[in-house]
Amino acid sequence: MLMQLTFFLLMAGALVAAITYYRRGQGGGATPGTALFNGGGGRAGATESGTLYVTGVSPLPDVPGEQYVTISGSISGPSVVAHEVYGRFAWDTNQWPSPGDQIPVAYPEGKPDRWQLGHPGARPYFGSRPEKPRN
């Protein structure tokens, strides 16, 4: 009897752990088409909007269409002043950025190193296709 109860409790604990692990995987990290940020200090989902002042851009490729670009610059926002950042993105060559551009960005409150662009010509570095909507 004691052995059966122990086995039952062990199996129930494993089931709870598996469900918890699965649910964390569903909402972890920012991906296109989902909430911009999930938690990470302060209020859950709190984001700040700012501006990226572009100081450096990789050269415009000769091939039209979507190409990779590396951008460097400084982010300024409500709680950040001239925070230096850089990133690599898939970008439409018809809307190629240039030094001096000011591009809207968003980042988790107090974490400007996790910035994301708010520009129609940009897409995240990995994945050249937009994510399909979830049902």
Side-chain angles (χ1 to χ4, degrees):
M1 174 76 171
L2 180 62
M3 198 161 196
Q4 291 172 341
L5 180 60
T6 303
F7 180 75
F8 175 75
L9 291 175
L10 182 64
M11 293 306 290
L15 180 63
V16 167
I19 290 171
T20 303
Y21 181 76
Y22 174 77
R23 292 199 58 187
R24 282 186 186 166
Q26 294 296 311
T31 56
T34 63
L36 186 58
F37 300 103
N38 295 327
R43 298 167 296 169
T47 62
E48 292 183 353
S49 295
T51 303
L52 170 67
Y53 179 76
V54 179
T55 58
V57 178
S58 56
L60 176 64
D62 295 332
V63 182
E66 188 174 78
Q67 302 293 326
Y68 288 117
V69 62
T70 302
I71 299 175
S72 62
S74 59
I75 291 179
S76 295
S79 64
V80 176
V81 178
H83 183 79
E84 296 295 319
V85 295
Y86 70 95
R88 188 166 186 209
F89 303 91
W91 203 284
D92 183 6
T93 57
N94 293 324
Q95 299 177 3
W96 204 254
S98 59
D101 286 351
Q102 294 186 7
I103 302 172
V105 295
Y107 52 90
E109 189 175 339
K111 297 183 179 181
D113 288 324
R114 292 181 49 202
W115 60 284
Q116 291 186 353
L117 288 173
H119 189 274
R123 285 231 278 279
Y125 174 65
F126 293 112
S128 59
R129 295 187 180 137
E131 182 178 298
K132 294 179 182 177
R134 295 181 185 178
N135 293 333

